[in-house]
Amino acid sequence: MNIITNLYRLIITINGKKKMSKKYTSVHYNEYLALDKILGAQNLRSAELGEPAHDEMFFIIVHQVYELWFKQIIHELKLVANTLSQDPVPEYQLGEALAKLTRVHEIQKLLIDQIKVLETLTPLDFLDFRNYLIPASGFQSFQFRKVEAMLGLPSQQRITYGNYDYKSPFNEDQQKELLELENSMSMFDILEKWLERTPFLKFNDFKFSEKYVEAVSNMTERERQAILDTEYITEKEKEGRIKMLDMQQEYIENAMDKEKHNEMIKNGEVRLSFKATKAALLINLYRDKPILRIPYSILDKIVEIDESFIMWRFRHSQMVLRMLGRKMGTGGSSGHGYLKKTADEHHIFRDLHNVSTLLIPRSELPELPKELEDSLGYIYKG
Ligand code: HEM
């Protein structure tokens, strides 16, 4: 074989084995990024159908950039879902899953910030081309619906308008794909199962929930005493505060009671299973233990992603109010009113946010048995 060919061969080594060899080929920036296609894809309806409107180019580009980022988010969520659905999840892959969730969250920050850029389009300039867009609407963003379904927004929780199924704007294949996503494991389900597999909830004689409820009741007792002993509030105020304290303790005890928790699931008050909730609480409370650090960061990132989604919905609905006032949307909804409701209701990981209700100060945490303490650390005991 000629020496030049050899020089141009790239040997890819995976796990120490030569897997394949690939020939270097050259590629031009333009071709690699398919720029002719991308830069040739801004077709102004206003130019085609009437008076060219200067700002329509901007409007198209903003939407296209969103769709490209949605594509990247889907790509990352697939990887995270595949990683976390393994039983057990190979430890070395957890860091990678966290890195990808962090990327999703950073992209979301751009998506929220981009609304400011969009708002340089004034309502009057928008009217120069808005009528050419009917019935095109964000309702028809297939990728947005995929992200919602992949994260785990249940179809029964969706706000609908005019009783339309959210899948109806899509073609048959797309509807099938969305239905399959709805019926397969979402990020919510995968995370729930992953949490349920968390070890340490029971460790020899140590039962986390029993010790935790004991700690809460000791803490409440001390708080009750402090209220009774203080001279700065009246007897009536003391009574009110003690009542609130008892309610808080009852809430926490109920959350740690399997039957009551399952009852709340049945009533639609919570969605996350009893075991997964306990695991999420344990991870949050003992997050300073090295072994729980990455699981905690993963939960925290999911909460941030959920929150950013809500923030985007809220910002988009406010932008729509400014742009359209009380006009209906090109997709036929009530516009701002509908969108604001979705910001309130299309909340996927509410139960992870609610874990904060159950948190107690570090100083009140039940002490862990020495053996368990050691298994949560990094120090090599060999
Ligand atoms: C001038 C700018 C915009 C206006 C006035 C606007 C208006 C609206 C309105 C009124 C709706 C409700 C559905 C309807 O009746 O049409 C909607 C939905 C939506 N829009 Fe926008 N939008 C704008 C920009 C964007 C951008 C840049 C994106 C990014 C992709 C976007 C994504 C969406 C999505 C995904 C929905 C569906 C939301 C849901 O059903 O939860 N919109 N938009």
Side-chain angles (χ1 to χ4, degrees):
M1 200 180 291
N2 134 357
I3 192 154
I4 305 288
T5 320
N6 266 340
L7 274 177
Y8 276 87
R9 276 189 183 272
L10 167 68
I11 309 296
I12 295 179
T13 309
I14 297 173
N15 292 340
K17 283 185 209 144
K18 282 177 194 163
K19 271 283 201 212
M20 57 179 162
S21 68
K22 280 214 174 132
K23 206 173 170 192
Y24 280 132
T25 53
S26 58
V27 69
H28 192 278
Y29 178 84
N30 227 43
E31 267 173 59
Y32 180 60
L33 300 174
L35 289 184
D36 288 347
K37 274 195 198 157
I38 292 182
L39 300 179
Q42 291 71 40
N43 305 311
L44 276 59
R45 295 265 300 168
S46 60
E48 204 182 304
L49 299 175
E51 285 282 293
H54 176 87
D55 280 2
E56 193 184 349
M57 166 81 93
F58 168 72
F59 183 80
I60 293 175
I61 288 182
V62 169
H63 279 81
Q64 286 175 334
V65 171
Y66 267 104
E67 289 292 338
L68 284 174
W69 282 129
F70 290 161
K71 183 167 184 176
Q72 189 64 36
I73 289 178
I74 291 168
H75 189 57
E76 304 304 353
L77 289 180
K78 272 188 197 157
L79 182 136
V80 177
N82 286 341
T83 302
L84 296 184
S85 26
Q86 299 170 92
D87 181 8
V89 179
E91 287 171 7
Y92 70 95
Q93 290 180 9
L94 276 180
E96 191 60 13
L98 175 60
K100 299 310 183 226
L101 288 173
T102 305
R103 179 178 288 164
V104 169
H105 182 229
E106 291 303 320
I107 294 173
Q108 286 181 305
K109 289 188 202 166
L110 286 182
L111 299 187
I112 295 169
D113 258 14
Q114 201 167 286
I115 292 184
K116 281 191 228 147
V117 183
L118 183 58
E119 282 173 337
T120 62
L121 172 68
T122 68
L124 198 61
D125 291 333
F126 183 39
L127 286 178
D128 284 346
F129 58 92
R130 181 173 188 248
N131 281 346
Y132 300 125
L133 311 181
I134 295 168
S137 154
F139 264 152
Q140 294 154 2
S141 170
F142 179 57
Q143 295 200 102
F144 185 80
R145 296 305 183 212
K146 273 179 80 169
V147 173
E148 288 180 330
M150 285 174 84
L151 287 174
L153 179 67
S155 48
Q156 63 274 18
Q157 194 185 315
R158 283 180 184 277
I159 309 279
T160 52
Y161 74 100
N163 281 334
Y164 286 118
D165 181 350
Y166 80 99
K167 293 193 280 301
S168 60
F170 303 110
N171 68 35
E172 213 176 296
D173 287 346
Q174 289 173 322
Q175 292 200 16
K176 216 171 125 208
E177 202 178 327
L178 286 174
L179 194 66
E180 272 165 19
L181 275 178
E182 270 178 31
N183 293 332
S184 51
M185 296 278 283
S186 67
M187 190 63 78
F188 181 94
D189 304 321
I190 290 166
L191 208 78
E192 183 178 58
K193 295 282 161 288
W194 175 67
L195 281 169
E196 285 172 356
R197 296 195 299 270
T198 301
F200 316 123
L201 287 172
K202 265 191 204 162
F203 190 85
N204 299 333
D205 289 341
F206 178 82
K207 291 200 180 82
F208 165 69
S209 46
E210 278 176 20
K211 293 283 173 198
Y212 164 76
V213 171
E214 219 175 278
V216 171
S217 121
N218 291 341
M219 193 179 84
T220 314
E221 206 36 58
R222 276 199 299 278
E223 279 181 47
R224 185 196 314 276
Q225 206 50 56
I227 294 172
L228 291 174
D229 292 347
T230 183
E231 295 159 11
Y232 296 108
I233 53 176
T234 63
E235 287 306 308
K236 197 163 167 47
E237 280 172 321
K238 284 184 186 178
E239 214 178 281
R241 289 193 187 200
I242 290 203
K243 208 168 162 195
M244 273 159 57
L245 203 60
D246 287 341
M247 276 162 59
Q248 189 181 302
Q249 183 171 357
E250 192 188 341
Y251 173 85
I252 295 180
E253 281 175 9
N254 285 352
M256 289 294 107
D257 182 308
K258 193 173 177 181
E259 269 176 35
K260 288 189 176 139
H261 188 97
N262 288 342
E263 197 59 37
M264 289 200 284
I265 293 185
K266 239 199 245 160
N267 300 338
E269 292 164 60
V270 293
R271 185 174 168 204
L272 196 66
S273 75
F274 176 65
K275 203 166 175 199
T277 306
K278 272 202 306 186
L281 175 62
L282 176 116
I283 291 171
N284 270 278
L285 288 175
Y286 294 96
R287 66 174 198 199
D288 298 330
K289 306 288 173 206
I291 297 292
L292 297 180
R293 196 70 220 173
I294 295 191
Y296 165 72
S297 301
I298 288 182
L299 292 185
D300 191 47
K301 209 41 86 181
I302 291 282
V303 166
E304 283 191 303
I305 289 174
D306 202 34
E307 187 180 325
S308 296
F309 228 101
I310 296 165
M311 296 292 284
W312 183 83
R313 288 185 195 278
F314 183 72
R315 277 295 283 119
H316 173 258
S317 81
Q318 285 303 115
M319 177 275 294
V320 167
L321 179 62
R322 183 170 162 181
M323 202 70 83
L324 301 181
R326 295 165 66 101
K327 288 189 186 111
M328 66 184 265
T330 44
S333 80
S334 62
H336 167 73
Y338 158 80
L339 293 166
K340 194 161 171 294
K341 263 197 215 152
T342 66
D344 288 337
E345 301 294 330
H346 289 183
H347 196 168
I348 300 171
F349 296 93
R350 204 184 288 269
D351 299 329
L352 287 184
H353 293 254
N354 281 344
V355 168
S356 299
T357 324
L358 306 174
L359 294 185
I360 55 174
R362 283 185 175 90
S363 56
E364 304 287 345
L365 284 181
E367 209 175 303
L368 302 177
K370 168 93 177 63
E371 217 184 321
L372 175 55
E373 185 84 43
D374 287 350
S375 6
L376 295 173
Y378 284 156
I379 296 169
Y380 178 58
K381 301 276 182 325

